[in-house]
Amino acid sequence: MPRPIHAVIHQQALQHNLQVARSCAHQSQVFAVVKADAYGHGIERVYPALKSADGFAFLDLTEGKRLRALGCDKRLLLLEGIFGLEDLFDCAKYGISFAIHAQHQLEWLKTFVQLQPDVQFDVFLKMNSGMNRLGFVPEQYPVAFQELKSIEQVCSISHMTHFSDADGMRLGQEGIEHQQLVFTETIQNLPGKTSLSNSAAILRHHQHIQSDIVRSGIMLYGSSPDYPAHTIDHWNLKPTMSLRSELIAIQ
Ligand SMILES: *Cc1c(COP(=O)(O)O)cnc(C)c1O
């Protein structure tokens, strides 16, 4: 007998939470973020409930392959992009889009398309609009965009950024308004779809942020991104996992 401990994943709650993301971001495509094995829930376990999402986003190529193995034909996005040139073989084979956040990734792409000229990629160009984690700073961004655009095998470029403080109260230089302004100004004359919001931005700022694609993560799994300021009841989210066990003794 294994120990009588079970983590039960609630399909209806996952579906409900996806619906909450959809209703907040009703003008956007909703990508379900399933990084870290669906935030610990298991990609295979959550997929049946989340399969109606417009796409899936993750950090590890194997997570994309697992989605394809489940029969997923939606758009897939590697959020941090590739970790080496050879990853592009899999991106091409499995139809996985990827972020480009740094020059070395651009160089890998240029080398790859010389080896395999028959490929096509949808690329998400990442801007560091203030989070200071990944991405091209605004001064470099248009240059990177033009470089990407000149690669024949790149069939679309979407503009992507990530907020540092969508769950907080900071305004001005550090808040999301500032990042949004930097982003909008930088892409002003550049064509392409946009992807900005994570869970906190979807829930808290959906009236002010236009994003063609939103990337909902933690909210799907029934966790409030700005707890304790707001609970899941406030955001109408439902818990998606219950831990159950049995009493084995009473003393
Ligand atoms: C994790 C992640 C998300 C989702 O963030 P949540 O706060 O969990 O909704 C979105 N975009 C990127 C780039 C991420 O790494």
Side-chain angles (χ1 to χ4, degrees):
M1 277 284 279
R3 293 170 71 205
I5 299 173
H6 301 277
V8 180
I9 310 296
H10 304 297
Q11 302 293 322
Q12 284 182 351
L14 285 159
Q15 272 169 0
H16 169 90
N17 296 340
L18 178 61
Q19 213 39 57
V20 173
R22 279 217 185 281
S23 56
C24 288
H26 58 273
Q27 289 170 333
S28 311
Q29 291 208 319
V30 176
F31 278 23
V33 180
V34 294
K35 65 188 179 192
D37 202 10
Y39 291 60
H41 295 66
I43 288 182
E44 287 74 13
R45 291 190 198 98
V46 303
Y47 180 71
L50 298 181
K51 66 182 177 191
S52 68
D54 299 303
F56 293 84
F58 42 86
L59 301 176
D60 208 310
L61 262 179
T62 58
E63 294 173 324
K65 292 185 198 175
R66 284 162 65 190
L67 287 160
R68 290 291 185 235
L70 290 165
C72 176
D73 59 359
K74 300 291 177 65
R75 297 182 67 188
L76 301 185
L77 170 60
L78 200 51
L79 286 166
E80 291 176 341
I82 50 173
F83 300 94
L85 185 147
E86 62 277 16
D87 288 348
L88 289 168
F89 288 99
D90 277 343
C91 290
K93 181 171 171 195
Y94 295 94
I96 298 175
S97 302
F98 47 87
I100 293 268
H101 68 76
Q103 191 64 35
H104 63 269
Q105 294 179 319
L106 242 170
E107 302 304 326
W108 285 331
L109 180 59
K110 284 191 220 162
T111 310
F112 182 79
V113 297
Q114 281 169 359
L115 301 171
Q116 299 252 312
D118 279 348
V119 293
Q120 287 204 317
F121 292 123
D122 292 304
V123 178
F124 285 67
L125 187 59
K126 179 104 183 229
M127 189 193 304
N128 174 6
S129 59
M131 172 118 182
N132 291 324
R133 188 169 73 179
L134 296 176
F136 292 90
V137 294
E139 299 74 53
Q140 294 167 347
Y141 189 88
V143 183
F145 180 88
Q146 295 306 338
E147 262 189 70
L148 256 184
K149 201 164 161 249
S150 70
I151 302 172
E152 201 185 314
Q153 289 82 354
V154 171
C155 39
S156 75
I157 307 172
S158 304
H159 307 287
M160 172 174 166
T161 198
H162 197 61
F163 292 119
S164 64
D165 197 39
D167 47 357
M169 295 292 176
R170 271 172 285 182
L171 297 169
Q173 287 288 322
E174 291 176 332
I176 70 151
E177 271 174 42
H178 179 69
Q179 279 191 259
Q180 204 187 348
L181 189 70
V182 167
F183 182 79
T184 312
E185 281 180 355
T186 308
I187 65 164
Q188 205 167 31
N189 298 312
L190 309 176
K193 299 238 152 90
T194 59
S195 177
L196 296 92
S197 298
N198 62 351
S199 297
I202 293 167
L203 291 167
R204 295 169 57 112
H205 304 291
H206 60 91
Q207 297 96 335
H208 314 293
I209 301 173
Q210 286 301 317
S211 193
D212 294 310
I213 297 169
V214 297
R215 308 183 304 271
S216 53
I218 193 84
M219 66 178 294
L220 298 180
Y221 306 96
S223 183
S224 169
D226 61 353
Y227 182 84
H230 297 109
T231 62
I232 58 169
D233 290 336
H234 175 87
W235 295 123
N236 183 26
L237 299 171
K238 294 190 174 153
T240 59
M241 185 192 287
S242 304
L243 285 176
R244 292 183 188 156
S245 191
E246 291 170 17
L247 286 174
I248 57 168
I250 299 173
Q251 301 227 355

